C-alpha cells in the first residue's frame, strides 16, 4: 500500500483485502489523514461492517502508538462499560 500526498492509502475499495496495521502504515499518518479517518468513523457510512471495524482497529492502533495524533479522536475508540447481567 502506497502513501498518497495527503497520507496513507486506507480502504482503497470495498472489496480490498484487509490491510495489515504496520508501523510504516501508522507512521504515514498526519493530522489531515487521521482527521479523514475520524470523519469516516464518525459518519459510520460503510458498505460493510468489516470496513468500519477495520477503520476502528486502525484508529485504536493510532491511539496506542501515535497518541499525539489520536488524542482529539479518542472518543471514537472508547468503549462504554456495561453490565452483562
Amino acid at each position: 500500500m502506497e502513501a498518497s500526498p495527503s497520507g496513507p492509502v486506507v480502504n482503497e475499495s470495498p472489496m480490498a483485502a484487509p490491510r495489515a496495521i504496520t508501523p510504516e502504515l501508522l507512521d504515514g499518518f498526519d493530522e489531515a489523514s487521521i482527521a479523514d479517518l475520524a470523519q469516516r468513523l464518525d459518519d459510520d457510512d460503510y458498505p460493510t461492517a468489516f470496513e468500519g471495524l477495520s477503520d476502528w482497529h486502525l484508529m485504536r492502533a493510532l491511539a496506542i502508538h501515535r497518541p499525539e495524533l489520536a488524542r482529539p479522536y479518542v472518543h471514537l475508540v472508547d468503549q462504554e462499560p456495561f453490565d452483562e447481567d
Side-chain angles (χ1 to χ4, degrees):
M1 216 166 271
E2 297 178 27
S4 69
S6 63
V9 175
V10 183
N11 284 344
E12 295 169 342
S13 76
M15 299 307 290
R19 67 195 174 287
I21 298 175
T22 63
E24 294 79 19
L25 177 65
L26 299 177
D27 287 344
F29 273 83
D30 59 14
E31 289 180 10
S33 55
I34 199 168
D36 290 341
L37 175 63
Q39 187 63 55
R40 283 198 313 271
L41 285 164
D42 197 41
D43 292 345
D44 193 25
D45 186 24
Y46 293 96
T48 70
F50 296 108
E51 287 183 45
L53 187 59
S54 179
D55 274 359
W56 183 86
H57 281 291
L58 181 55
M59 181 62 81
R60 185 171 179 265
L62 285 162
I64 293 167
H65 298 284
R66 303 281 312 273
E68 72 284 359
L69 284 178
R71 193 164 287 116
Y73 312 108
V74 74
H75 66 280
L76 295 169
V77 293
D78 278 346
Q79 294 180 334
E80 296 293 323
F82 62 93
D83 185 5
E84 293 182 14
D85 294 333

